[in-house]
Amino acid sequence: MAVKEKEDIIKHSEIIEGLSLSDEVKWFEKLKRGTQVFVFEGGERTLIYDRYSYYKDKDFQAKMWKIKLYSRRGGKEMENIGGLYATRGEALAAINDLSKAYGDKVFYLIPFKFSYNEPEKDKNYKKSGRSAIESIFQILSYLKENTDKCHHISQGEMRKGELGEYMGTHSTFNQKMINLALALDYDPEQMEFKSEEDCRLMYDSLKPLLSNNEDYSDDEDEVNDNISLEDKIRSVRNIYYNHPFSPEEVVDLINAVQMSKALDPEQIERLVWKIKMELASKYNRDHTCRIHNNENTDSELLKENLAVIQCAIKEGYQLSYNFCYYTTDKSQYSDREVPKSVLEFTAAEEIKTHVSPHYIIQDNGRFFLIGCFENDKSKEKTLSIYRIDLMTNVEIREENGKKILATKADVAKTSVPYKEQLENFRHTHLGMGYDTPKTVKMRVTNFYRTGKPNLTFLHDSFGDDYTITGYDKDKGVIVSVRTSAYGIVNWALEHSDKVEVLDPSDVVETIKARGRELNDKYVCRWDK
């Protein structure tokens, strides 16, 4: 169809000149095919721009019609006035109705998906042997799995595997990408592409048209009236799926699930797997490691530390950090000020601690790192437990610009537990004591509200990791548990009204000594 001359398209030039339209009004030369512009003079609708009449054959129609209104003087668009209509007749009737209240405005009638702009079918089209729906589903699934914002792919690379049979010819594949882009990324109500954050399918020719592109304006989409919207996005290069969640957000979601007390371990494992499979590409699924014995916590420092530690564990590198304590210094405050506690490292902690990280454990709302202490120059490495929320300046250890590989867990002198032992680690290392666990024998004499031995407090501390070895309905039950001798001393003192430690003897003696210290501190002091 021959391109019409400008004077054939712009109607009633003398009327346009008499209107003194503002320069800000959308200029006619930049409008799409099928567009018409109307004004009302003396209550009569007057057509002053016509790119529709030449294409009004029944084979060239739009799927929807949009009305926009602009002021004649300032050129300002009347927001929330107009809208989308299913047929051109409905749109024209709406313009007549709107003219009663907005007769002094300029009315634009713009087609959406005007069929004249639709590309002709590829004569060389070859069926891929798959249905269109099946092909698009497979292509989209492939892109979600194998691409992301940092990992693009070409059509040639996509054809190398089994996906090739779903792609069809080059032109067929391009048309599928165009259809996908329009379905996923185009906003029909706003008649523009969404912002990059809200778009899912991405490739090079799409980016200049995105609504948040600072170098793009509405007018640029229509500068060349001979190029349809689909032609503008027909060049399909550097393809990728723009996942709705960033890798950092996926890590945050996984950590939140792992820290939840409302979920059992099986639920956590299943939800974490779903998050990784549905929200991340294959490149971003291993940015976290499992957090054992989880519980909620709220600490920005802890969150930052966990991110670095998880990365070091996954990549197999050592960490370096400063260990801190909460302390206070009255000299830093005036007499009228109340001193506050601050987290800081002391002079003795200025030298950084080096550790080969292996596992993360949670105990009573605190997060701990299990790893091998690396500051000691001896070849024999020892297992240590580090409280993560007291670490600062956590980073992957480097020397001369090279990252230092971590010592493997099985090399430690005090054996790091196997993965299947990690869930009961806090039971065998009560209070996160890192001494070698011992078998502790005790008598439980708690009959509170049950009339028989009440073991609830024992279960709270050890779960099912204890054994009942003897039973006396009057004196209670004899229980054995394997745990930290250091931790059981404090625990036995805390529960002294419910439990009596019987063995081993060194643990019993330590409890006695602590009892004498308490006696000297409280009983003797207050009796004087």
Side-chain angles (χ1 to χ4, degrees), residues 149 181-182 184-187 190-221 229 232-233 240 242:
K149 199 170 186 178
L182 291 173
L184 296 174
D185 302 339
Y186 194 81
D187 186 339
Q190 298 297 323
M191 296 186 70
E192 64 180 8
F193 282 98
K194 303 171 187 175
S195 65
E196 183 173 354
E197 181 181 3
D198 295 325
C199 288
R200 298 283 73 90
L201 178 65
M202 294 294 295
Y203 50 85
D204 285 353
S205 61
L206 268 176
K207 291 185 177 180
L209 304 178
L210 302 183
S211 61
N212 64 334
N213 189 326
E214 295 180 356
D215 298 324
Y216 167 76
S217 66
D218 289 338
D219 291 339
E220 286 181 23
D221 184 43
L229 177 61
K232 291 176 182 177
I233 61 173
Y240 68 94
N242 191 27

Side-chain angles (χ1 to χ4, degrees), residues 318-345:
Q318 292 186 24
L319 288 170
S320 66
Y321 70 93
N322 294 109
F323 193 79
C324 298
Y325 303 90
Y326 282 98
T327 183
T328 187
D329 188 349
K330 174 61 178 174
S331 65
Q332 297 181 5
Y333 298 88
S334 67
D335 292 337
R336 295 184 178 181
E337 290 180 310
V338 178
K340 297 179 181 179
S341 62
V342 293
L343 185 66
E344 60 183 8
F345 54 85

Side-chain angles (χ1 to χ4, degrees), residues 153-392:
I153 198 167
S154 67
Q155 183 179 161
E157 290 174 293
M158 293 173 69
R159 289 185 180 278
K160 291 178 181 178
E162 296 179 356
L163 188 67
E165 67 178 282
Y166 295 95
M167 295 172 64
T169 65
H170 179 82
S171 58
T172 301
F173 174 75
N174 280 15
Q175 188 61 47
K176 288 176 180 178
M177 291 293 97
I178 291 169
N179 293 340
L180 263 177
L182 291 173
L184 296 174
D185 302 339
Y186 194 81
D187 186 339
E189 290 192 4
Q190 298 297 323
M191 296 186 70
E192 64 180 8
F193 282 98
K194 303 171 187 175
S195 65
E196 183 173 354
E197 181 181 3
D198 295 325
C199 288
R200 298 283 73 90
L201 178 65
M202 294 294 295
Y203 50 85
D204 285 353
S205 61
L206 268 176
K207 291 185 177 180
L209 304 178
L210 302 183
S211 61
N212 64 334
N213 189 326
E214 295 180 356
D215 298 324
Y216 167 76
S217 66
D218 289 338
D219 291 339
E220 286 181 23
D221 184 43
E222 302 157 343
V223 168
N224 191 337
D225 203 32
N226 294 319
I227 302 178
S228 69
L229 177 61
E230 292 194 359
D231 285 336
K232 291 176 182 177
I233 61 173
R234 187 162 292 279
S235 177
V236 182
R237 299 173 183 272
N238 294 319
I239 312 162
Y240 68 94
Y241 184 81
N242 191 27
H243 292 266
F245 292 88
S246 68
E248 293 76 17
E249 289 172 333
V250 171
V251 169
D252 287 342
L253 285 172
I254 291 173
N255 283 341
V257 169
Q258 293 193 124
M259 295 177 192
S260 174
K261 293 178 66 177
L263 302 171
D264 61 45
E266 289 184 3
Q267 288 176 307
I268 290 172
E269 186 174 356
R270 184 168 61 254
L271 285 175
V272 168
W273 183 84
K274 285 184 176 180
I275 290 172
K276 288 182 176 181
M277 297 305 294
E278 294 297 325
L279 302 183
S281 73
K282 66 181 182 182
Y283 302 101
N284 296 318
R285 288 177 184 160
D286 291 325
H287 284 193
T288 62
C289 63
R290 187 175 180 185
I291 297 176
H292 302 271
N293 302 306
N294 39 64
E295 185 175 354
N296 277 328
T297 187
D298 184 16
S299 168
E300 193 64 32
L301 176 63
L302 174 61
K303 179 182 175 182
E304 294 172 0
N305 289 351
L306 282 171
V308 179
I309 293 170
Q310 287 177 324
C311 180
I313 290 174
K314 282 296 179 184
E315 296 182 4
Y317 293 119
Q318 292 186 24
L319 288 170
S320 66
Y321 70 93
N322 294 109
F323 193 79
C324 298
Y325 303 90
Y326 282 98
T327 183
T328 187
D329 188 349
K330 174 61 178 174
S331 65
Q332 297 181 5
Y333 298 88
S334 67
D335 292 337
R336 295 184 178 181
E337 290 180 310
V338 178
K340 297 179 181 179
S341 62
V342 293
L343 185 66
E344 60 183 8
F345 54 85
T346 64
E349 301 293 342
E350 288 183 358
I351 299 176
K352 279 201 165 187
T353 298
H354 306 309
V355 60
S356 291
H358 297 300
Y359 306 111
I360 296 172
I361 295 288
Q362 184 277 331
D363 181 56
N364 292 327
R366 303 293 182 191
F367 286 79
F368 297 83
L369 171 65
I370 301 175
C372 293
F373 183 64
E374 296 287 354
N375 287 59
D376 191 347
K377 298 297 183 180
S378 65
K379 294 182 179 180
E380 206 170 53
K381 305 299 181 183
T382 57
L383 168 69
S384 295
I385 301 174
Y386 307 88
R387 186 166 149 184
I388 294 175
D389 63 310
L390 296 182
M391 296 179 177
T392 58

Side-chain angles (χ1 to χ4, degrees), residues 38-47 88 91-93 95-96 99:
F38 302 93
V39 294
F40 284 80
E41 290 294 310
E44 295 294 324
R45 188 179 72 203
T46 303
L47 178 65
R88 185 169 177 275
L92 288 171
I95 288 175
N96 290 337
S99 69

Side-chain angles (χ1 to χ4, degrees), residues 125-157:
Y125 172 79
K126 295 180 181 178
K127 290 186 177 180
S128 66
R130 304 286 183 174
S131 70
I133 294 177
E134 183 182 6
S135 296
I136 287 177
F137 178 82
Q138 291 293 338
I139 291 170
L140 189 59
S141 298
Y142 177 91
L143 293 174
K144 289 176 68 175
E145 170 73 13
N146 296 282
T147 66
D148 55 43
K149 199 170 186 178
C150 298
H151 301 87
H152 305 174
I153 198 167
S154 67
Q155 183 179 161
E157 290 174 293

